[in-house]
Amino acid sequence: MRRTSRSTLETSAARITLAALLALGGIMLPATSFARARILHDAAHLRHALEKMLVVGRVLYIAAHPDDENTALLTYLAGERKVDAAYLSVTRGDGGQNLIGTEIATLLGVIRTHELLEARKLDGAWQFFTRAKDFGYSKSPDETLRIWGKEAVLGDMVWVIRRFRPDVIVTRFPEKGKSHGHHIASARLAHEAFIAAANPKRFPEQLRHVKPWRATRLVHNVSQWMLRRRGLLADRSYLSRFLRLDVGGYNPLFGLSYGEIAARSRSMHKSQGFGVIARLGPTIEYFQPIAGTAPTRDILDGVELGWRRFRGGDVVARKLRTALSGFRVEDPAASIPALVEALRAMRGLRKEPRIADKIRDLEELIVACAGLVLDVRAKVASVVPGGTLDVTITAINRTQAKIRLESVLLPGSPLLPIATALLQRSAFHRSGRLTVAANAVISAPSWLRREGLPGRYRVPDPTRAEQPIDRAPLRALFSLRIAGESFSIERPVRHVWSDRVRGELSRHVEITPPISVTPIGDVLMLPNGETRELVLQLRAMVAGARGRLTLRLPKGWRATPQAFGAAFKRVGDVQRFRFRIQPPSTRLGVARVVPVISDAGRDYSWREHTLRYRHIPYQTVLEPSSIKLVPLHVAPFRGRVGYIAGSGDLVPRSLRQIGVDVRMIDNDTLAGGDLSAYRTIVTGVRAFNVNRALRLYRNRLLAWVARGGTLIVQYNTTHRFRPLKLQFGPFPLVIGHERVTDEGAKVTRLLPQHPFWQTPNRLVPADFDGWVQERGLYFGHRWDTHYKPLLRIADPGEKPLDGSVLVAEHGNGIFVYTGLAFFRQLPAGVAGAYRMFLNLLALKQATPKRAGR
């Protein structure tokens, strides 16, 4: 589903910058400092981080989506070879399905972005993106590049290469063959970007910020799964054409093999159900040279990995080796004087991005070795533009390191002079107040702030498009002297609280509107010209918030009342307001309404959605607020519908909008409750994949069908590693991987006299217009003759598929399997999909057979 991303309500505003902070510190912030894995503070990780300081080589891995990366290789490169390894995911995975909740589209992209960041915390690699959208499965790389906008996404990839400066670039996918169009397109773009990044005539506008970069080589990481599928893993002759690399080593510092770490990293892709078992022992990866200098024994052949690649780097390396030789796990702080000597030498080198990144890494390593706590906390989680925020500044030296805190600079506040030594085991606390600029930017994900294009996002600052997330909106700068050397250490302003089960939790303090305006549903369906109720939930994000709530409606639409006044006492207070929306009497096209809260001459229109998953940070996602208005002609459905939840979808909420009485069926009811109250029962997407009770009691459901019920099973998946072996229908039916990805693909009627086409809505070709992302997925592949296919659909140039809707009579009832993507179409407000789904709900046998058991 593609969402409208922003109204023009917000005035142009500049983010609170660190220009003053950088001037104070006098050092260059690395361009990629917010895309990397953090340094852990235990002695094992500190030693490993110190060992990594001796290595300046870099490898960039490129693929299409979250989960496409080879975590085994990234873990090995970052852990064993100690290079800076990074993953460039062309998209954020926002076009996929969600196994853990109801979020799809943009919100799913936020979830998967953070899943990647959690994975990188484990495998030690960095994370980058382009602006490309995951617009759903594509069968053609040419289609993919056309929708993405090839030149724009190629430019993003070139930007990452010039900024990160990898020595070796690795692709996950081949440049041709039968595969997801995004996969092949990512490989083709990587090859072009490898060449273009070195050419100053390509994307010359970037050269104001970066320089051309020529990587040593481009290699393709050949898929082990593909080799196994083709029966080639045992063919030594065939495998001899590839470079081999064993990535399955063991790291005694961590007490884990790289395979174990990689499995934990990959298992962070929880929204895709990608939990895996660790591979122990040797793990061979295969590589095919594509461009550049060909390697002979190793993908890093001929690459100078150490500091001597930089003039004056030998001095840095020598001082780092001295620090490493004196490192003691029981007293990491003892290495600080030697590390500071290395830092002085490093700061004396010619500035370039890779050195700047190493300077920042070494500064953080020294702080970590000192066990130094630098923290700024607020008692609230948000502040509004123009507001003030009281904070507590804390600095604690937990070792014998010689540290002096000179000053702290808070946004919008004068420099706070401290000038005090931080003694061991003594805590420094100071209260402070920061002021947020009146035109400060609201803390919404930068890629969601504006309405995007069909194939890619728009971001306000193209020079930061590769960053996985935005920097904390409020940051403090600590100015210190450690072992006689100056440090400028940045820390976000945080809100910390206690959860009774999980313990301490924290989040960055965000800049929010005074009041959020969240619609209860993205779409308002208005059947048959009827007036419908639009419900808006307002939440106070600051104490004493007040405003006037109105709707910006297209011409001809009416709302009653025209406005509400809203006033709140406390932060977090919630009120709901209800408008009656009347569509125009003549023109019945789709429209969009923007809810606006006005206060003190400024308009706000931001919706919120809180992500509460344990494997990613707790966060509130703000997006521009609007509601799609969809008038439609539809026959009413008589009867009660039961819905058995699957992995998560919004179909029940959507059906209720047009008056369908939908009741959720829990597992107890499924096991032994009364099902006779339901005319039709629907299973949610992937229900048989995720609901064990449904698999256990399928026979009870089928018996209910035989007595005259109608059961609609929406798509379920089958996977090469987890095939769906359960026979969930009354007759043999095999689910395949067939899908139709062109949302406008031609549909041909099969059995045109079937009630599906006639009752209660007479379906017409226009009912297949306006679909989003795809027609459907996981169609039936083979089926018993009792099943009757009702539709024939084909992607352009491909064989027609008949398995999208299969209907079978069973006893006195009806069983339906459908792979049509109703879980996308109904929440997106596709009128024809509503009419079609109602016809499925209404299916019944024309002449019932003798009653079954």
Side-chain angles (χ1 to χ4, degrees):
M1 181 174 67
R2 296 164 190 154
R3 297 185 180 178
T4 301
S5 185
R6 156 151 220 192
S7 71
T8 57
L9 299 173
E10 286 294 324
T11 58
S12 176
R15 190 179 295 272
I16 297 177
T17 68
L18 278 180
L21 310 189
L22 296 179
L24 192 134
I27 58 173
M28 181 170 60
L29 267 179
T32 50
S33 60
F34 302 97
R36 69 178 69 181
R38 63 187 177 184
I39 295 177
L40 300 178
H41 288 202
D42 61 272
H45 282 91
L46 291 178
R47 180 177 176 88
H48 187 264
L50 178 49
E51 292 172 354
K52 279 179 70 75
M53 291 303 306
L54 285 159
V55 180
V56 294
R58 288 186 164 180
V59 177
L60 178 64
Y61 199 93
I62 298 178
H65 310 107
D67 87 2
D68 286 342
E69 77 272 26
N70 185 339
T71 55
L73 178 60
L74 290 174
T75 303
Y76 166 82
L77 290 171
E80 181 69 19
R81 305 300 292 273
K82 302 179 180 64
V83 299
D84 289 333
Y87 175 45
L88 170 56
S89 179
V90 178
T91 75
R92 295 178 184 267
D94 36 332
Q97 293 88 50
N98 185 357
L99 194 65
I100 60 175
T102 59
E103 297 91 352
I104 57 174
T106 55
L107 288 173
L108 180 58
V110 174
I111 290 173
R112 292 191 174 174
T113 294
H114 283 278
E115 287 179 336
L116 279 172
L117 290 176
E118 294 303 308
R120 300 295 81 83
K121 289 178 183 178
L122 294 168
D123 59 38
W126 302 22
Q127 183 63 52
F128 300 113
F129 292 96
T130 75
R131 290 171 292 170
K133 288 182 180 179
D134 177 358
F135 57 84
Y137 192 90
S138 172
K139 296 179 180 178
S140 162
D142 294 332
E143 176 199 52
T144 296
L145 294 172
R146 174 176 53 81
I147 293 175
W148 279 350
K150 177 186 174 182
E151 195 70 2
V153 178
L154 175 62
D156 289 352
M157 201 174 281
V158 168
W159 172 261
V160 172
I161 293 171
R162 287 173 172 173
R163 204 160 188 178
F164 185 62
R165 298 190 172 190
D167 300 297
V168 176
I169 299 174
V170 184
T171 58
R172 166 80 282 186
F173 300 107
E175 296 181 43
K176 57 183 178 180
K178 291 185 177 181
S179 182
H180 195 325
H182 297 185
H183 293 169
I184 296 174
S186 72
R188 292 183 181 177
L189 286 171
H191 195 162
E192 287 195 44
F194 172 83
I195 298 169
N199 184 354
K201 294 182 180 180
R202 296 289 279 137
F203 306 102
E205 70 280 0
Q206 297 179 2
L207 302 185
R208 290 177 296 168
H209 309 282
V210 292
K211 295 180 180 179
W213 179 256
R214 186 182 304 278
T216 301
R217 63 180 58 95
L218 171 70
V219 298
H220 169 221
N221 181 200
V222 181
S223 167
Q224 281 199 37
W225 175 82
M226 187 61 68
L227 292 173
R228 186 180 300 109
R229 183 182 181 187
R230 295 169 60 187
L232 296 172
L233 269 181
D235 188 338
R236 292 187 178 182
S237 174
Y238 182 83
L239 295 179
S240 66
R241 69 184 65 187
F242 303 126
L243 197 69
R244 291 165 48 97
L245 183 63
D246 183 358
V247 300
Y250 172 76
N251 192 313
L253 283 176
F254 306 150
L256 294 168
S257 69
Y258 297 118
E260 291 172 297
I261 298 171
R264 295 180 183 183
S265 171
R266 186 157 186 78
S267 296
M268 282 295 106
H269 295 296
K270 298 185 188 302
S271 66
Q272 304 186 67
F274 268 41
V276 296
I277 297 173
R279 289 188 291 179
L280 303 176
T283 301
I284 306 301
E285 295 290 341
Y286 298 92
F287 301 90
Q288 181 178 20
I290 300 297
T293 304
T296 56
R297 295 177 301 175
D298 184 88
I299 61 172
L300 294 171
D301 276 351
V303 176
E304 175 53 61
L305 301 177
W307 279 93
R308 58 182 169 181
R309 69 190 296 164
F310 303 118
R311 179 178 297 178
D314 287 340
V315 175
V316 173
R318 184 169 64 252
K319 292 183 180 297
L320 286 171
R321 282 193 291 268
T322 299
L324 181 60
S325 65
F327 184 85
R328 304 201 310 270
V329 294
E330 71 277 10
D331 187 13
S335 298
I336 289 177
L339 290 172
V340 168
E341 286 296 317
L343 178 63
R344 289 193 183 104
M346 205 179 290
R347 287 177 172 175
L349 300 183
R350 178 177 57 87
K351 294 296 184 292
E352 69 112 79
R354 197 181 312 219
I355 294 174
D357 287 328
K358 284 295 185 183
I359 288 173
R360 179 57 67 190
D361 284 346
L362 184 51
E363 289 173 343
E364 290 291 350
L365 177 58
I366 292 169
V367 169
C369 285
L372 179 59
V373 174
L374 300 173
D375 194 22
V376 182
R377 298 188 184 187
K379 292 183 179 180
V380 296
S382 63
V383 62
V384 299
T388 60
L389 186 69
D390 291 329
V391 298
T392 299
I393 303 164
T394 298
I396 305 174
N397 178 10
R398 297 180 289 188
T399 68
Q400 296 179 358
K402 294 182 179 180
I403 303 174
R404 183 177 176 84
L405 177 59
E406 300 290 357
S407 63
V408 178
L409 185 57
L410 299 173
S413 302
L415 182 69
L416 184 64
I418 307 295
T420 187
L422 298 179
L423 303 178
Q424 183 180 12
R425 298 179 182 175
S426 64
F428 170 86
H429 299 289
R430 178 71 62 86
S431 297
R433 172 172 292 182
L434 59 84
T435 302
V436 179
N439 64 346
V441 172
I442 300 297
S443 301
S446 58
W447 66 94
L448 301 181
R449 298 184 61 82
R450 299 174 56 196
E451 182 177 359
L453 300 170
R456 66 182 182 275
Y457 291 109
R458 289 191 172 106
V459 296
D461 182 359
T463 67
R464 299 191 60 79
E466 84 285 1
Q467 294 298 313
I469 57 175
D470 300 309
R471 302 166 73 179
L474 299 172
R475 305 175 297 279
L477 192 76
F478 289 81
S479 182
L480 307 124
R481 293 191 71 83
I482 303 177
E485 188 74 3
S486 295
F487 286 72
S488 295
I489 303 297
E490 182 183 291
R491 290 292 182 263
V493 180
R494 301 188 302 150
H495 173 62
V496 180
W497 74 100
S498 175
D499 179 271
R500 294 182 65 181
V501 176
R502 301 173 64 186
E504 180 179 304
L505 298 174
S506 71
R507 60 189 298 183
H508 295 164
V509 174
E510 298 169 332
I511 301 173
T512 64
I515 303 171
S516 65
V517 188
T518 305
I520 306 303
D522 297 334
V523 175
L524 183 66
M525 307 300 296
L526 298 102
N528 308 316
E530 298 175 11
T531 299
R532 275 292 191 264
E533 189 174 69
L534 172 62
V535 183
L536 297 170
Q537 178 168 293
L538 274 60
R539 188 171 76 91
M541 294 187 163
V542 63
R546 62 178 58 249
R548 184 171 184 267
L549 176 63
T550 58
L551 299 179
R552 292 185 178 174
L553 284 161
K555 184 177 180 180
W557 291 77
R558 290 185 298 169
T560 307
Q562 294 184 347
F564 286 102
F568 302 87
K569 291 183 178 180
R570 296 175 297 273
V571 175
D573 283 353
V574 171
Q575 297 179 28
R576 287 194 174 187
F577 296 91
R578 302 170 187 270
F579 291 90
R580 300 294 297 182
I581 304 298
Q582 176 66 52
S585 57
T586 54
R587 190 184 68 214
L588 291 178
V590 173
R592 189 165 289 277
V593 57
V594 176
V596 180
I597 191 80
S598 302
D599 179 47
R602 188 168 183 182
D603 294 340
Y604 297 93
S605 181
W606 295 93
R607 64 189 302 153
E608 63 172 324
H609 182 92
T610 301
L611 299 176
R612 295 185 178 93
Y613 294 106
R614 291 195 171 200
H615 66 299
I616 61 175
Y618 180 103
Q619 60 194 287
T620 299
V621 181
L622 292 170
E623 296 181 84
S625 188
S626 69
I627 306 97
K628 184 178 180 181
L629 304 176
V630 183
L632 76 162
H633 292 290
V634 64
F637 176 79
R638 310 296 182 189
R640 181 175 295 173
V641 174
Y643 203 90
I644 302 171
S647 61
D649 60 67
L650 299 173
V651 170
R653 179 194 293 179
S654 301
L655 292 175
R656 292 184 186 115
Q657 282 211 51
I658 57 170
V660 179
D661 181 9
V662 182
R663 310 288 178 91
M664 301 305 294
I665 296 178
D666 60 22
N667 288 342
D668 289 340
T669 303
L670 188 59
D674 182 14
L675 301 179
S676 64
Y678 301 104
R679 173 177 174 177
T680 303
I681 293 177
V682 181
T683 65
V685 298
R686 299 191 183 193
F688 282 94
N689 296 118
V690 301
N691 189 331
R692 184 171 180 268
L694 183 58
R695 297 196 294 269
L696 287 173
Y697 300 111
R698 60 171 287 277
N699 288 335
R700 188 166 187 268
L701 266 182
L702 293 177
W704 170 83
V705 174
R707 292 193 294 271
T710 298
L711 176 62
I712 301 172
V713 175
Q714 296 185 84
Y715 91 90
N716 287 266
T717 65
T718 186
H719 194 271
R720 59 182 182 264
F721 300 126
R722 300 182 184 89
L724 182 62
K725 297 179 180 179
L726 175 73
Q727 191 57 252
F728 52 77
F731 311 107
L733 168 61
V734 176
I735 303 303
H737 290 91
E738 290 91 343
R739 62 172 74 201
V740 173
T741 63
D742 184 347
E743 62 268 36
K746 181 182 178 182
V747 177
T748 301
R749 298 183 182 213
L750 304 177
L751 303 178
Q753 300 307 311
H754 193 279
F756 167 74
W757 297 105
Q758 312 293 334
T759 306
N761 300 287
R762 192 173 190 86
L763 300 181
V764 297
D767 288 318
F768 293 95
D769 293 342
W771 284 47
V772 298
Q773 187 160 316
E774 59 197 343
R775 287 292 193 202
L777 63 170
Y778 294 100
F779 290 176
H781 179 65
R782 294 192 306 273
W783 52 87
D784 184 270
T785 55
H786 285 86
Y787 293 103
K788 305 302 180 187
L790 300 184
L791 284 77
R792 174 169 292 162
I793 320 176
D795 273 320
E798 294 198 359
K799 178 182 176 181
L801 301 174
D802 294 353
S804 64
V805 179
L806 300 171
V807 178
E809 294 184 354
H810 176 54
N812 285 325
I814 298 289
F815 175 89
V816 179
Y817 176 78
T818 178
L820 292 178
F822 290 111
F823 76 103
R824 293 196 192 280
Q825 312 311 320
L826 300 188
V830 178
Y834 275 87
R835 290 161 49 84
M836 198 175 304
F837 203 85
L838 285 181
N839 284 15
L840 288 177
L841 293 176
L843 286 178
K844 61 180 180 178
Q845 290 193 24
T847 306
K849 303 178 182 66
R850 182 178 176 181
R853 291 182 296 170

